[in-house]
Short mmCIF file of all heavy atoms in Angstrom, two decimals:
data_model
loop_
_atom_site.label_atom_id
_atom_site.label_comp_id
_atom_site.label_asym_id
_atom_site.label_seq_id
_atom_site.Cartn_x
_atom_site.Cartn_y
_atom_site.Cartn_z
N ALA A 2 12.65 12.34 15.43
CA ALA A 2 12.00 11.27 16.20
C ALA A 2 12.71 9.95 15.98
O ALA A 2 13.27 9.69 14.92
CB ALA A 2 10.54 11.15 15.79
N SER A 3 12.67 9.08 16.99
CA SER A 3 13.27 7.76 16.87
C SER A 3 12.40 6.87 15.99
O SER A 3 11.21 7.16 15.79
CB SER A 3 13.42 7.14 18.25
OG SER A 3 12.13 6.80 18.78
N PRO A 4 12.96 5.78 15.43
CA PRO A 4 12.16 4.86 14.60
C PRO A 4 10.93 4.32 15.32
O PRO A 4 9.86 4.19 14.73
CB PRO A 4 13.15 3.74 14.28
CG PRO A 4 14.49 4.41 14.31
CD PRO A 4 14.38 5.42 15.42
N ILE A 5 11.07 4.05 16.61
CA ILE A 5 9.93 3.52 17.37
C ILE A 5 8.82 4.57 17.45
O ILE A 5 7.63 4.27 17.31
CB ILE A 5 10.38 3.09 18.78
CG1 ILE A 5 11.33 1.89 18.69
CG2 ILE A 5 9.16 2.73 19.64
CD1 ILE A 5 11.88 1.43 20.02
N GLU A 6 9.22 5.83 17.67
CA GLU A 6 8.23 6.91 17.75
C GLU A 6 7.51 7.09 16.42
O GLU A 6 6.30 7.32 16.37
CB GLU A 6 8.91 8.21 18.17
CG GLU A 6 9.36 8.23 19.62
CD GLU A 6 10.15 9.47 19.96
OE1 GLU A 6 10.98 9.90 19.13
OE2 GLU A 6 9.95 10.03 21.06
N VAL A 7 8.27 6.99 15.31
CA VAL A 7 7.68 7.15 13.98
C VAL A 7 6.62 6.08 13.75
O VAL A 7 5.53 6.36 13.22
CB VAL A 7 8.77 7.06 12.89
CG1 VAL A 7 8.13 6.99 11.51
CG2 VAL A 7 9.69 8.26 12.97
N ILE A 8 6.91 4.84 14.14
CA ILE A 8 5.96 3.73 13.95
C ILE A 8 4.80 3.82 14.93
O ILE A 8 3.66 3.46 14.60
CB ILE A 8 6.68 2.38 14.10
CG1 ILE A 8 7.62 2.16 12.91
CG2 ILE A 8 5.69 1.23 14.16
CD1 ILE A 8 6.91 2.11 11.56
N LEU A 9 5.06 4.32 16.13
CA LEU A 9 4.01 4.41 17.14
C LEU A 9 2.88 5.35 16.72
O LEU A 9 1.72 5.12 17.07
CB LEU A 9 4.59 4.87 18.48
CG LEU A 9 5.14 3.79 19.40
CD1 LEU A 9 5.72 4.42 20.67
CD2 LEU A 9 4.06 2.78 19.77
N VAL A 10 3.21 6.40 15.98
CA VAL A 10 2.18 7.37 15.58
C VAL A 10 1.09 6.70 14.75
O VAL A 10 -0.09 6.72 15.14
CB VAL A 10 2.80 8.56 14.83
CG1 VAL A 10 1.71 9.45 14.26
CG2 VAL A 10 3.70 9.37 15.77
N PRO A 11 1.40 6.06 13.61
CA PRO A 11 0.33 5.38 12.86
C PRO A 11 -0.25 4.19 13.60
O PRO A 11 -1.45 3.92 13.49
CB PRO A 11 1.02 4.95 11.55
CG PRO A 11 2.47 4.89 11.87
CD PRO A 11 2.69 5.97 12.89
N ALA A 12 0.59 3.48 14.38
CA ALA A 12 0.10 2.31 15.10
C ALA A 12 -0.96 2.69 16.13
O ALA A 12 -2.02 2.04 16.23
CB ALA A 12 1.26 1.59 15.79
N LEU A 13 -0.71 3.75 16.87
CA LEU A 13 -1.68 4.19 17.89
C LEU A 13 -2.94 4.75 17.25
O LEU A 13 -4.04 4.59 17.79
CB LEU A 13 -1.03 5.22 18.81
CG LEU A 13 0.06 4.68 19.75
CD1 LEU A 13 0.71 5.82 20.55
CD2 LEU A 13 -0.51 3.63 20.70
N MET A 14 -2.80 5.40 16.10
CA MET A 14 -3.98 5.91 15.41
C MET A 14 -4.84 4.76 14.88
O MET A 14 -6.06 4.83 14.89
CB MET A 14 -3.56 6.86 14.28
CG MET A 14 -2.93 8.16 14.78
SD MET A 14 -2.33 9.21 13.45
CE MET A 14 -3.86 9.80 12.76
N MET A 15 -4.17 3.70 14.42
CA MET A 15 -4.92 2.51 13.99
C MET A 15 -5.65 1.88 15.18
O MET A 15 -6.80 1.47 15.08
CB MET A 15 -3.99 1.49 13.34
CG MET A 15 -3.63 1.78 11.91
SD MET A 15 -2.86 0.38 11.07
CE MET A 15 -1.35 0.21 11.98
N LEU A 16 -4.95 1.82 16.32
CA LEU A 16 -5.57 1.26 17.53
C LEU A 16 -6.76 2.10 17.97
O LEU A 16 -7.74 1.56 18.50
CB LEU A 16 -4.53 1.17 18.65
CG LEU A 16 -3.50 0.05 18.53
CD1 LEU A 16 -2.48 0.14 19.65
CD2 LEU A 16 -4.20 -1.32 18.55
N LEU A 17 -6.69 3.41 17.74
CA LEU A 17 -7.83 4.28 18.06
C LEU A 17 -9.03 3.88 17.22
O LEU A 17 -10.16 3.78 17.74
CB LEU A 17 -7.47 5.74 17.81
CG LEU A 17 -8.61 6.76 17.96
CD1 LEU A 17 -9.16 6.73 19.38
CD2 LEU A 17 -8.15 8.16 17.59
N GLY A 18 -8.81 3.66 15.92
CA GLY A 18 -9.89 3.21 15.06
C GLY A 18 -10.46 1.88 15.51
O GLY A 18 -11.69 1.69 15.53
N PHE A 19 -9.58 0.96 15.90
CA PHE A 19 -10.03 -0.35 16.39
C PHE A 19 -10.83 -0.20 17.67
O PHE A 19 -11.87 -0.84 17.86
CB PHE A 19 -8.80 -1.24 16.63
CG PHE A 19 -9.14 -2.62 17.13
CD1 PHE A 19 -9.69 -3.56 16.28
CD2 PHE A 19 -8.92 -2.96 18.46
CE1 PHE A 19 -10.01 -4.84 16.73
CE2 PHE A 19 -9.23 -4.23 18.92
CZ PHE A 19 -9.77 -5.17 18.06
N PHE A 20 -10.37 0.68 18.58
CA PHE A 20 -11.06 0.92 19.85
C PHE A 20 -12.45 1.53 19.62
O PHE A 20 -13.43 1.12 20.24
CB PHE A 20 -10.21 1.84 20.73
CG PHE A 20 -10.90 2.29 21.99
CD1 PHE A 20 -11.09 1.40 23.05
CD2 PHE A 20 -11.37 3.59 22.12
CE1 PHE A 20 -11.73 1.82 24.21
CE2 PHE A 20 -12.01 4.00 23.27
CZ PHE A 20 -12.19 3.12 24.32
N LEU A 21 -12.51 2.49 18.70
CA LEU A 21 -13.80 3.13 18.41
C LEU A 21 -14.79 2.11 17.82
O LEU A 21 -16.00 2.22 18.03
CB LEU A 21 -13.61 4.29 17.44
CG LEU A 21 -12.83 5.50 18.00
CD1 LEU A 21 -12.59 6.53 16.91
CD2 LEU A 21 -13.59 6.13 19.17
N LYS A 22 -14.27 1.12 17.09
CA LYS A 22 -15.13 0.07 16.58
C LYS A 22 -15.60 -0.84 17.71
O LYS A 22 -16.77 -1.22 17.76
CB LYS A 22 -14.38 -0.76 15.52
CG LYS A 22 -15.21 -1.91 14.94
CD LYS A 22 -14.45 -2.69 13.87
CE LYS A 22 -13.32 -3.49 14.47
NZ LYS A 22 -12.70 -4.40 13.46
N ARG A 23 -14.71 -1.14 18.62
CA ARG A 23 -15.04 -2.05 19.73
C ARG A 23 -16.10 -1.46 20.64
O ARG A 23 -16.96 -2.19 21.17
CB ARG A 23 -13.78 -2.36 20.55
CG ARG A 23 -12.73 -3.17 19.81
CD ARG A 23 -13.14 -4.60 19.59
NE ARG A 23 -13.22 -5.35 20.83
CZ ARG A 23 -13.58 -6.63 20.92
NH1 ARG A 23 -13.91 -7.29 19.82
NH2 ARG A 23 -13.63 -7.24 22.08
N ILE A 24 -16.08 -0.14 20.85
CA ILE A 24 -17.08 0.48 21.74
C ILE A 24 -18.35 0.88 20.99
O ILE A 24 -19.27 1.44 21.59
CB ILE A 24 -16.48 1.71 22.46
CG1 ILE A 24 -16.14 2.83 21.47
CG2 ILE A 24 -15.26 1.31 23.29
CD1 ILE A 24 -15.69 4.12 22.13
N GLY A 25 -18.38 0.62 19.68
CA GLY A 25 -19.58 0.88 18.91
C GLY A 25 -19.72 2.29 18.39
O GLY A 25 -20.76 2.63 17.80
N PHE A 26 -18.71 3.13 18.59
CA PHE A 26 -18.79 4.50 18.10
C PHE A 26 -18.72 4.53 16.57
O PHE A 26 -19.37 5.34 15.91
CB PHE A 26 -17.66 5.34 18.70
CG PHE A 26 -17.73 6.80 18.35
CD1 PHE A 26 -18.59 7.65 19.03
CD2 PHE A 26 -16.95 7.33 17.34
CE1 PHE A 26 -18.66 9.00 18.71
CE2 PHE A 26 -17.00 8.67 17.01
CZ PHE A 26 -17.87 9.51 17.69
N LEU A 27 -17.87 3.64 16.02
CA LEU A 27 -17.79 3.45 14.58
C LEU A 27 -18.05 1.98 14.26
O LEU A 27 -17.81 1.10 15.10
CB LEU A 27 -16.41 3.86 14.04
CG LEU A 27 -16.06 5.35 14.10
CD1 LEU A 27 -14.61 5.56 13.68
CD2 LEU A 27 -16.99 6.17 13.20
N LYS A 28 -18.51 1.71 13.04
CA LYS A 28 -18.76 0.34 12.61
C LYS A 28 -17.74 -0.06 11.55
O LYS A 28 -17.15 0.81 10.88
CB LYS A 28 -20.18 0.20 12.03
CG LYS A 28 -21.29 0.63 12.97
CD LYS A 28 -22.66 0.38 12.38
CE LYS A 28 -22.90 1.28 11.17
NZ LYS A 28 -23.01 2.70 11.55
N GLN A 29 -17.52 -1.37 11.40
CA GLN A 29 -16.57 -1.82 10.40
C GLN A 29 -16.99 -1.37 9.00
O GLN A 29 -16.16 -1.09 8.15
CB GLN A 29 -16.43 -3.35 10.43
CG GLN A 29 -15.34 -3.88 9.50
CD GLN A 29 -14.79 -5.20 9.96
OE1 GLN A 29 -15.00 -5.62 11.10
NE2 GLN A 29 -14.05 -5.87 9.09
N SER A 30 -18.30 -1.26 8.79
CA SER A 30 -18.80 -0.80 7.49
C SER A 30 -18.44 0.66 7.22
O SER A 30 -18.40 1.10 6.06
CB SER A 30 -20.32 -0.98 7.42
OG SER A 30 -20.97 -0.26 8.46
N ASP A 31 -18.13 1.42 8.28
CA ASP A 31 -17.72 2.82 8.09
C ASP A 31 -16.36 2.91 7.39
O ASP A 31 -16.01 3.96 6.84
CB ASP A 31 -17.62 3.54 9.44
CG ASP A 31 -18.99 3.72 10.10
OD1 ASP A 31 -19.98 3.79 9.35
OD2 ASP A 31 -19.06 3.75 11.34
N ARG A 32 -15.63 1.79 7.43
CA ARG A 32 -14.32 1.75 6.77
C ARG A 32 -14.44 2.10 5.29
O ARG A 32 -13.59 2.83 4.75
CB ARG A 32 -13.73 0.35 6.92
CG ARG A 32 -12.44 0.10 6.14
CD ARG A 32 -12.16 -1.38 6.05
NE ARG A 32 -13.22 -2.06 5.31
CZ ARG A 32 -13.35 -3.39 5.24
NH1 ARG A 32 -12.52 -4.16 5.90
NH2 ARG A 32 -14.33 -3.93 4.53
N ASP A 33 -15.47 1.60 4.64
CA ASP A 33 -15.63 1.84 3.20
C ASP A 33 -15.84 3.33 2.92
O ASP A 33 -15.27 3.87 1.96
CB ASP A 33 -16.81 1.03 2.66
CG ASP A 33 -16.57 -0.46 2.76
OD1 ASP A 33 -15.39 -0.87 2.76
OD2 ASP A 33 -17.55 -1.22 2.85
N LEU A 34 -16.65 3.98 3.76
CA LEU A 34 -16.87 5.42 3.58
C LEU A 34 -15.58 6.19 3.79
O LEU A 34 -15.23 7.08 2.99
CB LEU A 34 -17.94 5.91 4.56
CG LEU A 34 -18.19 7.43 4.59
CD1 LEU A 34 -18.63 7.93 3.22
CD2 LEU A 34 -19.20 7.79 5.67
N LEU A 35 -14.85 5.88 4.86
CA LEU A 35 -13.60 6.58 5.14
C LEU A 35 -12.58 6.34 4.02
O LEU A 35 -11.87 7.25 3.60
CB LEU A 35 -13.02 6.12 6.48
CG LEU A 35 -13.83 6.49 7.73
CD1 LEU A 35 -13.16 5.92 8.98
CD2 LEU A 35 -13.96 8.01 7.86
N SER A 36 -12.52 5.09 3.53
CA SER A 36 -11.59 4.76 2.45
C SER A 36 -11.94 5.53 1.18
O SER A 36 -11.04 6.01 0.47
CB SER A 36 -11.63 3.25 2.17
OG SER A 36 -11.18 2.52 3.29
N ASP A 37 -13.23 5.68 0.89
CA ASP A 37 -13.65 6.44 -0.29
C ASP A 37 -13.28 7.91 -0.17
O ASP A 37 -12.87 8.55 -1.14
CB ASP A 37 -15.16 6.30 -0.51
CG ASP A 37 -15.55 4.95 -1.08
OD1 ASP A 37 -14.64 4.23 -1.56
OD2 ASP A 37 -16.74 4.60 -1.02
N ILE A 38 -13.43 8.46 1.04
CA ILE A 38 -13.05 9.87 1.27
C ILE A 38 -11.56 10.05 0.99
O ILE A 38 -11.14 11.04 0.37
CB ILE A 38 -13.40 10.30 2.70
CG1 ILE A 38 -14.92 10.36 2.89
CG2 ILE A 38 -12.77 11.66 3.03
CD1 ILE A 38 -15.35 10.63 4.32
N VAL A 39 -10.76 9.10 1.45
CA VAL A 39 -9.32 9.17 1.22
C VAL A 39 -8.99 9.03 -0.26
O VAL A 39 -8.28 9.86 -0.85
CB VAL A 39 -8.58 8.07 2.02
CG1 VAL A 39 -7.12 7.99 1.60
CG2 VAL A 39 -8.67 8.36 3.51
N LEU A 40 -9.53 7.98 -0.90
CA LEU A 40 -9.17 7.66 -2.27
C LEU A 40 -9.64 8.71 -3.28
O LEU A 40 -8.95 9.00 -4.25
CB LEU A 40 -9.72 6.29 -2.66
CG LEU A 40 -8.93 5.08 -2.18
CD1 LEU A 40 -9.66 3.79 -2.53
CD2 LEU A 40 -7.53 5.06 -2.78
N TYR A 41 -10.82 9.27 -3.04
CA TYR A 41 -11.41 10.16 -4.04
C TYR A 41 -11.27 11.64 -3.73
O TYR A 41 -11.50 12.48 -4.61
CB TYR A 41 -12.89 9.80 -4.23
CG TYR A 41 -13.09 8.44 -4.84
CD1 TYR A 41 -13.48 7.36 -4.05
CD2 TYR A 41 -12.84 8.22 -6.19
CE1 TYR A 41 -13.65 6.09 -4.61
CE2 TYR A 41 -13.01 6.96 -6.76
CZ TYR A 41 -13.41 5.90 -5.96
OH TYR A 41 -13.55 4.65 -6.51
N ILE A 42 -10.90 11.97 -2.49
CA ILE A 42 -10.83 13.39 -2.13
C ILE A 42 -9.49 13.76 -1.47
O ILE A 42 -8.71 14.54 -2.04
CB ILE A 42 -11.99 13.78 -1.16
CG1 ILE A 42 -13.34 13.47 -1.81
CG2 ILE A 42 -11.90 15.25 -0.80
CD1 ILE A 42 -14.52 13.68 -0.88
N ALA A 43 -9.23 13.22 -0.30
CA ALA A 43 -8.09 13.68 0.49
C ALA A 43 -6.74 13.29 -0.11
O ALA A 43 -5.85 14.15 -0.27
CB ALA A 43 -8.21 13.12 1.92
#
Side-chain angles (χ1 to χ4, degrees):
S3 70
I5 293 177
E6 289 174 320
V7 171
I8 290 298
L9 273 178
V10 172
L13 291 176
M14 292 176 72
M15 280 194 295
L16 285 176
L17 174 61
F19 180 74
F20 173 73
L21 292 175
K22 179 179 70 172
R23 294 289 293 179
I24 65 174
F26 185 80
L27 292 174
K28 303 184 293 292
Q29 186 154 346
S30 58
D31 293 332
R32 173 195 63 190
D33 296 333
L34 174 60
L35 293 178
S36 296
D37 285 345
I38 292 173
V39 170
L40 280 175
Y41 293 104
I42 302 174

